[in-house]
Amino acid sequence: MTDFRFLHAADIHLDSPLHGLSRYEGLPEAEIRGATRAAFDALVRRAIEEAVDFVVLAGDLFDGDWKDMGTGLYFARAMGELHLAGIPVFLIAGNHDAASVISRSIPWPPNVRVFDARKPQTYRLDDLKVAVHGQSFSTPAVTDTRECLARRSSGRHRPG
């Protein structure tokens, strides 16, 4: 058996607009809005410091469509840091990611592998004797009962 180490994260909702913060007086809105990037920066640093063998980002990395390309450029830069460290990234698009039209047009660095939404897919890391399985969401809502049941039984169901 081969030893390996990986980092897993889900429901990051990078650059989420966090609607409704302004109704709470005295909140440090700028710091709260920047928290997802700060946390993601820490995740990337930790992956590099710990020299993990791969990273899995399992659903809802984003929070729907971006207001501008800044979110995509930020994410591509972070993935580039992992690429330079030789760390592959497996990205499973969640239901919130499926809503993003812009994210589909960004060319990710070569270390990023995005799971297909049409059918389950497997990526192998033969040197580690590891297979990573997944399936992305193609739409924000799953309406096909069979698909919903398959996602629930495999642990890939994430309510909106």
Side-chain angles (χ1 to χ4, degrees):
M1 179 172 242
T2 305
D3 289 339
F4 63 90
R5 294 166 25 116
F6 70 99
L7 191 147
H8 172 275
D11 292 308
I12 293 169
H13 293 273
L14 196 58
D15 288 347
S16 176
L18 300 171
H19 299 291
L21 281 181
S22 59
R23 68 180 153 193
Y24 299 102
E25 189 176 327
L27 281 181
E29 286 186 51
E31 289 86 357
I32 293 171
R33 289 189 197 288
T36 58
R37 282 196 186 198
F40 197 72
D41 288 342
L43 180 147
V44 169
R45 273 193 314 276
R46 186 64 180 253
I48 293 169
E49 288 167 2
E50 297 288 331
V52 300
D53 294 297
F54 58 94
V55 171
V56 176
L57 300 175
D60 295 345
L61 172 62
F62 304 114
D63 199 12
D65 246 342
W66 312 324
K67 287 186 268 187
D68 58 48
M69 293 298 287
T71 300
L73 296 173
Y74 163 80
F75 180 72
R77 180 198 52 77
M79 294 302 95
E81 290 179 34
L82 293 174
H83 176 65
L84 291 175
I87 300 173
V89 177
F90 299 97
L91 178 59
I92 301 167
N95 63 318
H96 288 108
D97 302 321
S100 178
V101 174
I102 298 173
S103 66
R104 292 183 211 140
S105 65
I106 299 286
W108 304 125
N111 62 319
V112 177
R113 291 156 181 98
V114 181
F115 283 90
D116 192 74
R118 293 174 301 244
K119 61 184 175 19
Q121 196 172 11
T122 301
Y123 288 104
R124 297 185 190 288
L125 297 168
D126 292 331
D127 54 327
L128 298 174
K129 297 182 175 137
V130 169
V132 183
H133 307 283
Q135 180 177 0
S136 292
F137 276 76
S138 59
T139 60
V142 175
T143 56
D144 182 325
T145 306
R146 290 171 297 178
E147 182 180 355
C148 189
L149 290 173
R151 288 182 186 277
R152 280 194 181 147
S153 66
S154 68
R156 293 178 282 131
H157 174 71
R158 295 210 193 329

